[in-house]
Amino acid sequence: MLINVAETVVADALRGMAAAHPELTVDVENRVVVRRDAPVAGKVALVSGGGSGHEPLHGGFVGPGMLSAACPGEVFTSPVPDQMVRAAAAVDSGAGVLFVVKNYTGDVLNFDMAAELAEDEGIQVAKVLIDDDVAVTDSLYTAGRRGTGATLFVEKIAGAAAEEGQPLERVAALASRINENSRSFGVALSACTTPAKGSPTFDLPAGELELGIGIHGEPGRERRAMMTSGEIAEAAVDAILADFQPRNPVLLLVNGMGATPLLELYGFHGEVQRVLAARGVAVARVLVGNYVTSLDMAGASVTLCQVDEEVLRLWDAPVRTPGLRWGM
Amino acid sequence: MLINVAETVVADALRGMAAAHPELTVDVENRVVVRRDAPVAGKVALVSGGGSGHEPLHGGFVGPGMLSAACPGEVFTSPVPDQMVRAAAAVDSGAGVLFVVKNYTGDVLNFDMAAELAEDEGIQVAKVLIDDDVAVTDSLYTAGRRGTGATLFVEKIAGAAAEEGQPLERVAALASRINENSRSFGVALSACTTPAKGSPTFDLPAGELELGIGIHGEPGRERRAMMTSGEIAEAAVDAILADFQPRNPVLLLVNGMGATPLLELYGFHGEVQRVLAARGVAVARVLVGNYVTSLDMAGASVTLCQVDEEVLRLWDAPVRTPGLRWGM
């Protein structure tokens, strides 16, 4: 691993992020990443966070048109309420704060506690819980479905709504609707290596893959002998469509878990498009890349989000973050 | 690997790229990626290419403000002259074409042949050779120094000059100057896996690293026991500064080789900044991410490019490509 020691990995990364992105305010000691112009008068603020190791999520999605602040925890470990309250206080303009919370037990508990503490300080807080992963209910890290790729859609689309001045209630309702209209399914072709452990987090022999993996490498639905890119695309799309049949066109995220080369990811995207076309699902917009990762895990996930014209307009709205940028 | 079969990896990727980027024209059969609005009247065109496996380089750098077209070869294998001539013909507006060639023997020979063929067809061609890697001269893949991270700087900065209507002679001279003012040094923490081989291309035991690696995993200067991120930053920066002492501020690219998590790469960037500050090198702009990769290799490279105000202005100019985008 390209690190100094495991204990300083997150602090080291934040220092490096601060030096790379002068448009962000990075509080290395307290572990809060804030867009520099926050609080923005009259604007609802979006705050997210979670364990580190999924970069660019969430710190890389802080900026105009997306998150107001992010709280990185230790690797694969929830941030603490103090970080979230500090972030909320730094970005609240009086218009309130939306917490975007992936459904992992630690994150949920800590954001709940932070919401109470922030409200005690007079900050109006709403929450949205992201639980788009159709692979398993109840896993190593959470009760219910896990939150994964839909987080990007929620942060982008609700972020655009907040940027144009929509009130907290509407931004929160929109965020919930985006989550409800999103589904994900992922596969792992290798385990990932956490700095603390220094070796793969689980044993996945070469020539096998894990269908329905979580973003921490937690077990999925099934271990199988290696499949082709086309077969994996079919398995992922069909698992999603078995749970949710989009009536409208979709946003499509084909997301790399970290170590899968872009060359392979584009090829996989082509297969996903082929399967979607065969199943009659129209694709309105596409994003292919490493956005919600799991350190150096090889593999990919597919996320669909059913959209209408209003949501598509918000998706297309300008965004300027380290990880996602267009229109400015 | 997330592939169908090794034989179709590049074609599969191009199909997936076409579906993801309607702003590009992707000729899957002939393996040419072209910006959709080419040829642009009166504009010098930039064409690059090389072996696949280094994505987003080069296809991901096609678009306004950067490349006019790219020719992907097989994995780690030069494209053929026919692709390059076809690309040149597709993008030439009559103002001429600049070939951006990384210094690898196959690429150099094929681009030379393509330049002759294109000139026979009445296309004015200039060439710039990229050879920024200070690690070794004469290696497995080339005579002289290898071309690596500086390619991104040349394609962005010369691309901006072409976009604003500078003539071929000036764009070519600028491209040469950017290359002359750039130096790179890379390290590998793991080998990469080519689709054709299906296993790591060389044997690098856990707990060791290779200093001065090439982007194909070709051997570097030295194999060492694992070093800290800070020690690697010192080795990389000092190798560069031993060869070239910038008098002006620099552009800094901290580039991931593919499988190194962004979390680690940001931490490494912080260490590179620390070393540069200690050596008195001022940093004008920074780019941290996976831009010139080597499939799933773990590791990173550092590239410095000495700039003046004019070059900085061209660096900051708008660009809109799948891999690099700002200002539009």
Side-chain angles (χ1 to χ4, degrees):
Chain A
M1 283 172 294
L2 188 52
I3 64 172
N4 289 317
V5 292
E7 291 69 24
T8 64
V9 163
V10 175
D12 288 351
L14 289 175
R15 241 188 313 276
M17 199 177 183
H21 301 292
E23 71 279 14
L24 302 177
T25 303
V26 180
D27 181 341
V28 177
E29 193 185 347
N30 295 300
R31 304 199 173 181
V32 180
V33 179
V34 180
R35 63 184 265 191
R36 188 168 284 282
D37 61 353
V40 179
K43 184 190 159 305
V44 167
L46 270 72
V47 172
S48 193
S52 292
H54 306 304
E55 290 69 25
L57 183 86
H58 299 272
F61 295 151
V62 174
M66 217 161 163
L67 292 179
S68 310
C71 312
E74 280 298 312
V75 171
F76 295 172
T77 303
S78 173
V80 295
D82 182 54
Q83 287 170 268
M84 300 157 182
V85 175
R86 196 179 289 266
V91 298
D92 183 36
S93 67
V97 176
L98 176 66
F99 282 167
V100 179
V101 187
K102 299 195 303 302
N103 189 34
Y104 296 95
T105 306
D107 296 62
V108 173
L109 289 172
N110 285 313
F111 269 107
D112 277 352
M113 198 178 303
E116 284 181 29
L117 293 168
E119 278 163 356
D120 289 348
E121 293 188 17
I123 300 170
Q124 197 189 351
V125 176
K127 283 175 294 184
V128 58
L129 195 68
I130 313 297
D131 60 351
D132 54 307
D133 186 349
V134 302
V136 295
T137 32
D138 302 339
S139 69
L140 210 58
Y141 283 76
T142 199
R145 288 182 166 181
R146 303 172 292 209
T148 166
T151 317
L152 182 150
F153 289 147
V154 169
E155 293 178 358
K156 171 65 185 81
I157 293 162
E163 204 71 38
E164 64 181 38
Q166 295 191 24
L168 182 58
E169 196 176 311
R170 278 184 61 193
V171 174
L174 174 66
S176 291
R177 187 154 59 88
I178 298 302
N179 177 61
E180 285 159 18
N181 285 333
S182 296
R183 297 293 188 281
S184 295
F185 190 88
V187 299
L189 277 63
S190 79
C192 59
T193 309
T194 59
K197 192 155 184 289
S199 60
T201 49
F202 62 100
D203 179 48
L204 183 54
E208 294 189 15
L209 84 173
E210 180 98 21
L211 285 174
I213 197 75
I215 56 173
H216 307 96
E218 59 267 38
R221 281 186 177 181
E222 194 184 351
R223 186 162 292 190
R224 293 269 304 265
M226 190 57 65
M227 298 156 69
T228 66
S229 176
E231 290 165 347
I232 295 171
E234 281 166 25
V237 169
D238 287 343
I240 289 171
L241 296 183
D243 191 81
F244 183 77
Q245 285 279 346
R247 286 160 290 117
N248 297 349
V250 296
L251 303 178
L252 166 62
L253 169 64
V254 173
N255 174 63
M257 301 308 298
T260 286
L262 208 46
L263 186 74
E264 298 179 18
L265 200 62
Y266 270 120
F268 179 60
H269 167 249
E271 297 296 334
V272 170
Q273 287 271 2
R274 178 184 59 75
V275 178
L276 287 172
R279 307 291 188 267
V281 178
V283 177
R285 297 288 185 278
V286 175
L287 204 57
V288 179
N290 293 289
Y291 293 103
V292 183
T293 62
S294 187
L295 293 170
D296 61 344
M297 182 187 283
S301 64
V302 176
T303 304
L304 303 184
C305 174
Q306 169 178 280
V307 295
D308 55 29
E309 282 191 21
E310 170 64 4
V311 170
L312 209 52
R313 185 184 67 75
L314 292 167
W315 174 256
D316 289 339
V319 61
R320 183 180 182 156
T321 72
L324 209 63
R325 182 167 179 172
W326 54 71
M328 58 173 140
Chain B
M1 283 172 295
L2 188 53
I3 64 171
N4 289 317
V5 291
E7 291 69 25
T8 64
V9 163
V10 174
D12 288 351
L14 289 175
R15 241 189 313 276
M17 199 176 183
H21 300 292
E23 72 279 14
L24 302 177
T25 303
V26 180
D27 182 340
V28 177
E29 193 185 346
N30 295 301
R31 303 201 174 181
V32 180
V33 179
V34 180
R35 64 184 266 192
R36 188 167 284 284
D37 62 354
V40 178
K43 183 190 159 304
V44 167
L46 270 73
V47 172
S48 192
S52 292
H54 305 304
E55 290 69 25
L57 184 85
H58 300 270
F61 295 150
V62 174
M66 215 160 165
L67 291 179
S68 310
C71 312
E74 279 300 311
V75 171
F76 294 172
T77 304
S78 173
V80 295
D82 182 54
Q83 287 170 268
M84 300 157 182
V85 175
R86 198 178 288 267
V91 298
D92 182 37
S93 68
V97 176
L98 176 67
F99 283 167
V100 180
V101 187
K102 299 195 303 301
N103 189 33
Y104 296 95
T105 305
D107 296 62
V108 173
L109 288 173
N110 285 313
F111 270 107
D112 278 351
M113 197 178 303
E116 286 180 28
L117 292 168
E119 278 164 358
D120 288 348
E121 294 188 15
I123 301 170
Q124 197 189 350
V125 176
K127 284 176 292 183
V128 58
L129 195 68
I130 314 296
D131 60 350
D132 54 308
D133 186 349
V134 302
V136 294
T137 31
D138 303 339
S139 69
L140 211 58
Y141 283 77
T142 199
R145 288 182 164 180
R146 301 172 294 210
T148 166
T151 317
L152 182 151
F153 289 148
V154 169
E155 292 179 357
K156 171 64 184 80
I157 292 162
E163 203 71 39
E164 64 181 38
Q166 294 192 23
L168 182 58
E169 196 177 311
R170 280 185 59 194
V171 173
L174 174 65
S176 291
R177 187 154 58 89
I178 298 303
N179 177 61
E180 284 159 18
N181 286 332
S182 296
R183 297 293 187 282
S184 295
F185 191 89
V187 300
L189 278 64
S190 79
C192 59
T193 309
T194 60
K197 189 154 185 288
S199 59
T201 49
F202 62 101
D203 180 48
L204 183 55
E208 295 189 14
L209 84 172
E210 181 99 21
L211 284 175
I213 197 74
I215 55 173
H216 306 96
E218 60 267 39
R221 282 187 178 181
E222 194 184 354
R223 186 162 292 190
R224 293 269 305 263
M226 190 56 64
M227 298 156 69
T228 66
S229 175
E231 290 165 347
I232 295 171
E234 281 166 24
V237 169
D238 288 342
I240 290 171
L241 296 184
D243 192 80
F244 183 75
Q245 285 279 347
R247 286 158 290 119
N248 297 350
V250 296
L251 303 177
L252 166 63
L253 169 64
V254 173
N255 174 63
M257 300 309 298
T260 286
L262 209 46
L263 186 74
E264 298 178 19
L265 201 61
Y266 270 119
F268 179 61
H269 167 248
E271 298 296 335
V272 170
Q273 288 271 1
R274 177 183 59 75
V275 178
L276 287 172
R279 306 290 188 268
V281 178
V283 177
R285 297 288 186 279
V286 175
L287 204 58
V288 180
N290 293 288
Y291 293 103
V292 183
T293 62
S294 187
L295 294 170
D296 61 344
M297 182 187 282
S301 63
V302 176
T303 304
L304 303 184
C305 174
Q306 169 179 278
V307 295
D308 55 29
E309 282 191 19
E310 171 63 4
V311 170
L312 210 52
R313 184 183 69 74
L314 293 167
W315 174 256
D316 289 340
V319 60
R320 182 181 184 156
T321 72
L324 208 65
R325 181 168 178 172
W326 55 70
M328 57 173 138

